[in-house]
Amino acid sequence: MGNVISWIQKTVLSIFRPSHPLNTIAIISGILGDQLPPASTDYANAKYQYATSSYGEEHHMNPALIVIPKNKDDIVKTLQYARSQKVAVAIRTGGHQYSGASSTAAPNIQIDLKKTFQGPDDRRIFQRGGETFVHTSVSFGLGEFNDYLGQNGLFVPHGQCTNVHLGGHVQSGGYGQLGRSFGLFSDHVVSVEIVDYQGNIREVTRANDADMFFGILGGSPGNFAVLTHFTIKVHRDQDYKGSRGLKSLFFYNPRTLERLLDILVEMSDNDDFPGNYDYCVSVLSSSNKLLDWFTEGGLDEKMREQHPEIYGDDGAPFWPRVIVVYAQWVPFSPSDVPDMGWFDRIREGSIFDVPPEIKPMSQLTKQWIFTNIREFDNPYVKSTHLTDSRTLGKDGWAAWMTKRIDAVVAPEANRVWLSAQLQCFGGEHSKFTTNADNGTSFNWRDSSLCVTADAFYGPGHKQTALDWHTINEQEGIGPNGKFCKTDRRVHWGSFGDYDLNKVWDVYYDNQEKYERLVKIRAKADPDGLFTPNTFSVARQ
Ligand SMILES: Cc1cc2nc3c(=O)[nH]c(=O)nc-3n(C[C@H](O)[C@H](O)[C@H](O)COP(=O)(O)OP(=O)(O)OC[C@H]3O[C@@H](n4cnc5c(N)ncnc54)[C@H](O)[C@@H]3O)c2cc1C
Ligand SMILES: *[C@@H]1O[C@H](CO)[C@@H](O)[C@H](O)[C@H]1NC(C)=O
C-alpha cells in the first residue's frame, strides 16, 4: 500500500508516467469493481462530466482515481481507504451536475455508481397501506426509470432529461413538467439508504433521523453520505383518468413567443390558478435536435412533406429556431373538468401538435422526456432562476423576456445557441408550494416561475454568451429587476460562483436554514470525506 501514497503524491505533482505499473492492478485492495487511475485507458472517458466542456479546467475535474464499485462493500472499502489517506470522495451517478460538482481534483477520489446497482434486486414495486411505492437503486437514468413505472401503470414527477440519473436527481429535487400538479420527485421520497462517513450502511427516514433526511433531500447533493437506494411513493394512472397533454411546435417568432409568455404570466401572477394545470415554454436556437423532443406524433414525416427545405441533400434535418410548448391538465376528482379553451389558445398558429387527447399520466410523463443527452454539443453559460413575483404582468416581464431572448436567437451567425425553459411552479394550489413541509430542504417554495436560459457557444464566442447573460442578470434581478427582486438559484441548475459557502444566500431560503444544514454537515462529515470541492455547504 505504501506505493499508493507515493502514487497519489506523484499525481498531485502531475508526474505520473503513462506506463505506471499501478495502471493494471487494483489500487485499493479488496475491491471487486474497476479502479481507473489517470494513466488507465478508460480514464479519459470515465471522467467525462456534462460540465467538462464548460468548466473542465476551472473546476478541476481530475480525480486521482475513479472507483466503479460492484457492491456496497466496495463503497465501504473506498470510504475507509479515503479516510485513512485523508482524501475526499466525490460521488457521481449520472454526471449531469451543471457545474461538475460530482467530480473532484487529485488527490481526491471519485466513486461512480452509474452501473453499480442495476440487478434484479435493485428495483421493486410494493404496496403498503393502500399506497404504492417503488424501492429503487440510484443507478438508473430517468428515461429508464420512467419506462419501468409506465409499464406498471405508475408515474411520479421528475425532470425531463433521459440520462440524468436518480442518484443526483433525488437529492436535487426533480423539477419537471408535473411541478404544479404533483410537486417535486423528492417530495415523494420516504426513505433513503446510505453508506455514511464511517462506512455504516443504514436507512434514513424522516422519523428516524429528521436532520439527515432534511440534509440529504435538498441540502447539498453528495455532501452527506453515499446513497445506494431509496423508497419513493408513486401515483397510479387509474387514479387520474382523463389527464391530457399538449405538445406544440412553433417556428420561432418574437410575437408568438410574447403571446405564449403572456399566457404564462396570467397563470404565474394568479395565486388562485387551479392546481390541475402545468405549462412550460421552451425556446431552441437552430440546429437543435428537435426529433429528440418529439419522439411521438410523426413530426419527421410531416415536416418532410410540408417543410422539405429543412432537410439537406443528405436527408438530415437542420432545424430552424423553434418554440416548443408543453401543457398538461390532470383531474384530482371526478368533478374536475378541463378548460379546453386554454389548450386552444396555446395551440394557435402552431406548425405541429401532439394534441391534448386523453392519455394515462405515465404516457404523458414519457412524452415530456427529452431523449438526447445534450441540447447542443457545445460548452454553455448557464442560468436558472426562480422568482416569487406576482407582478410579472404589471412589470412588463413577458415583453422584456421576449426582447432578451430575441437578442440571442435572432442573429443567425452569432455562434451562440439558446436552450430556454420558462415554467410555472407557483400558486396556492400548486403542490410545489404545498409539499414544502414534507421534511426536505428544497428552497424557494413560494416561487411562481422558473426560468432557465442556457447559452451554448462555439469556439471563440464565449464572450458573446457571457455578455448576453450579464445583461439578463443586471436587468432581470435586483431591486428594480424585471424578473425578481432577489437572486434565487437551485442546486440542480447551478452556475456562477463555485464556492457555495460564499454564495449560500442565493441557494437557501434564509440564514437559519443554512446554519441548520451546516450543523447537520458537521455531524455527517466530520473529516471532510464528502467535501470534494468548493460547491459544498460549510461544516462549521
Ligand atoms: C441536460 C440536463 C437536463 C436537466 N434537466 C433537469 C430537469 O428537467 N429537472 C431537474 O430537476 N434537473 C434537471 N437537470 C439537473 C439534474 O437533475 C441534477 O443535476 C441531478 O442532480 C443530476 O444527477 P446525476 O446523478 O445525473 O448527476 P451527478 O453529477 O452524478 O450528481 C449530481 C450531484 O449529486 C451527487 N450525487 C450523485 N449521485 C450520488 C449518490 N449516489 N450519493 C450521493 N451523492 C450523489 C453528486 O455528488 C453531485 O453533487 C438537468 C441536467 C442536465 C445536464
Ligand atoms: C408530502 O406532502 C403532501 C402534502 O402534505 C402529502 O399529501 C404527501 O403524502 C407527502 N408525501 C410524502 C412522501 O410524505
Side-chain angles (χ1 to χ4, degrees):
M1 279 279 96
N3 50 357
V4 173
I5 301 166
S6 64
W7 173 77
I8 285 180
Q9 283 162 348
K10 278 183 192 168
T11 309
V12 176
L13 301 170
S14 298
I15 49 163
F16 64 87
R17 291 182 306 271
S19 59
H20 197 281
L22 283 174
N23 197 356
T24 50
I25 58 165
I27 290 170
I28 304 173
S29 61
I31 293 220
L32 298 176
D34 288 338
Q35 301 187 56
L36 310 175
S40 61
T41 3
D42 296 335
Y43 178 86
N45 268 340
K47 80 165 186 174
Y48 172 82
Q49 302 269 133
Y50 188 88
T52 299
S53 62
S54 306
Y55 304 107
E57 295 303 312
E58 235 178 292
H59 293 178
H60 308 293
M61 301 176 210
N62 295 296
L65 177 70
I66 301 173
V67 179
I68 304 173
K70 263 226 146 44
N71 53 34
K72 289 190 186 181
D73 188 54
D74 280 359
I75 298 174
V76 172
K77 288 206 170 80
T78 306
L79 295 183
Q80 283 168 347
Y81 171 79
R83 257 183 103 199
S84 73
Q85 301 301 314
K86 298 194 185 333
V87 299
V89 174
I91 312 151
R92 167 203 164 113
T93 308
H96 269 52
Q97 213 289 334
Y98 271 108
S99 304
S102 53
S103 190
T104 187
N108 302 314
I109 294 173
Q110 183 185 53
I111 294 184
D112 188 337
L113 296 173
K114 104 174 137 279
K115 298 215 175 91
T116 305
F117 301 110
Q118 294 193 353
D121 296 341
D122 288 312
R123 196 156 65 173
R124 74 192 154 88
I125 295 167
F126 67 96
Q127 319 281 330
R128 193 169 61 203
E131 296 185 312
T132 307
F133 297 85
V134 175
H135 176 262
T136 179
S137 82
V138 294
S139 305
F140 296 101
L142 293 186
E144 204 179 0
F145 184 66
N146 181 278
D147 284 344
Y148 174 71
L149 291 185
Q151 282 152 16
N152 291 282
L154 303 170
F155 72 94
V156 73
H158 55 66
Q160 276 144 239
C161 188
T162 190
N163 201 40
V164 163
H165 276 59
L166 294 177
H169 204 59
V170 69
Q171 297 173 79
S172 60
Y175 293 64
Q177 180 66 16
L178 280 57
R180 291 184 82 256
S181 50
F182 291 93
L184 301 181
F185 179 70
S186 310
D187 293 343
H188 293 72
V189 171
V190 293
S191 98
V192 182
E193 286 160 55
I194 62 166
V195 184
D196 73 12
Y197 80 101
Q198 290 176 305
N200 300 315
I201 295 171
R202 63 189 174 104
E203 183 170 357
V204 174
T205 66
R206 194 178 175 182
N208 77 16
D209 193 343
D211 274 352
M212 198 65 166
F213 192 80
F214 182 80
I216 288 171
L217 297 175
S220 181
N223 282 175
F224 294 88
V226 181
L227 272 60
T228 62
H229 297 78
F230 60 93
T231 300
I232 185 161
K233 194 163 117 184
V234 293
H235 304 281
R236 306 186 305 177
D237 283 343
Q238 65 193 77
D239 296 330
Y240 300 93
K241 281 187 181 145
S243 50
R244 294 168 186 271
L246 165 74
K247 201 166 176 180
S248 280
L249 176 67
F250 303 81
F251 284 139
Y252 172 81
N253 173 323
R255 282 185 310 282
T256 305
L257 178 60
E258 192 170 336
R259 183 182 75 73
L260 292 166
L261 294 188
D262 281 339
I263 297 175
L264 192 83
V265 167
E266 236 171 61
M267 190 166 166
S268 181
D269 280 353
N270 180 359
D271 248 339
D272 199 32
F273 203 93
N276 316 72
Y277 296 86
D278 280 286
Y279 179 60
C280 179
V281 177
S282 299
V283 184
L284 294 164
S285 287
S286 59
S287 82
N288 72 82
K289 302 157 194 159
L290 197 62
L291 293 178
D292 295 325
W293 286 72
F294 285 86
T295 46
E296 66 292 287
L299 173 68
D300 197 27
E301 296 74 32
K302 184 165 175 198
M303 289 295 133
R304 275 182 203 277
E305 205 179 291
Q306 300 188 353
H307 293 281
E309 73 278 6
I310 291 171
Y311 295 81
D313 293 339
D314 57 355
F318 180 85
W319 295 101
R321 306 166 288 208
V322 294
I323 302 170
V324 178
V325 177
Y326 290 0
Q328 178 190 278
W329 179 86
V330 54
F332 295 124
S333 83
S335 59
D336 285 359
V337 193
D339 172 4
M340 295 308 290
W342 182 72
F343 287 113
D344 290 341
R345 268 176 73 206
I346 294 168
R347 298 168 81 173
E348 219 179 281
S350 73
I351 52 162
F352 181 80
D353 266 342
V354 178
E357 285 158 3
I358 291 177
K359 273 183 202 160
M361 280 303 293
S362 63
Q363 210 170 313
L364 290 176
T365 56
K366 185 177 172 68
Q367 182 171 308
W368 306 139
I369 292 179
F370 172 63
T371 61
N372 206 300
I373 293 173
R374 291 186 80 91
E375 297 100 313
F376 297 96
D377 293 325
N378 298 88
Y380 48 85
V381 174
K382 187 172 174 62
S383 155
T384 296
H385 289 287
L386 294 168
T387 180
D388 62 343
S389 170
R390 300 296 191 272
T391 58
L392 294 173
K394 196 174 105 229
D395 299 342
W397 172 79
W400 172 78
M401 193 73 238
T402 301
K403 198 181 79 199
R404 292 308 307 145
I405 287 179
D406 202 52
V408 71
V409 173
E412 292 270 10
N414 62 355
R415 312 297 297 160
V416 176
W417 298 272
L418 177 71
S419 173
Q421 282 84 41
L422 308 96
Q423 188 187 339
C424 291
F425 274 92
E428 282 168 24
H429 310 292
S430 156
K431 299 279 195 320
F432 174 71
T433 311
T434 59
N435 281 351
D437 296 325
N438 279 37
T440 69
S441 56
F442 298 98
N443 296 281
W444 316 126
R445 293 284 194 152
D446 58 343
S447 298
S448 52
L449 189 68
C450 179
V451 172
T452 287
D454 300 346
F456 292 76
Y457 53 88
H461 294 269
K462 182 175 184 177
Q463 199 55 43
T464 315
L466 272 175
D467 290 348
W468 178 76
H469 168 83
T470 303
I471 297 175
N472 298 344
E473 300 282 304
Q474 284 169 352
E475 295 182 0
I477 317 276
N480 299 313
K482 288 277 183 197
F483 182 64
C484 194
K485 307 299 166 214
T486 52
D487 192 342
R488 297 179 156 209
R489 301 185 200 174
V490 283
H491 280 90
W492 72 262
S494 64
F495 65 95
D497 206 315
Y498 197 48
D499 186 344
L500 185 60
N501 192 46
K502 209 165 98 198
V503 289
W504 66 265
D505 61 325
V506 303
Y507 287 97
Y508 299 90
D509 288 335
N510 52 51
Q511 189 163 352
E512 188 192 346
K513 185 172 188 176
Y514 185 66
E515 281 172 2
R516 178 175 172 199
L517 288 165
V518 170
K519 287 208 187 89
I520 300 170
R521 279 262 294 142
K523 213 172 130 201
D525 189 25
D527 309 325
L529 184 63
F530 299 124
T531 313
N533 52 53
T534 56
F535 204 66
S536 304
V537 167
R539 293 181 291 123
Q540 51 180 324

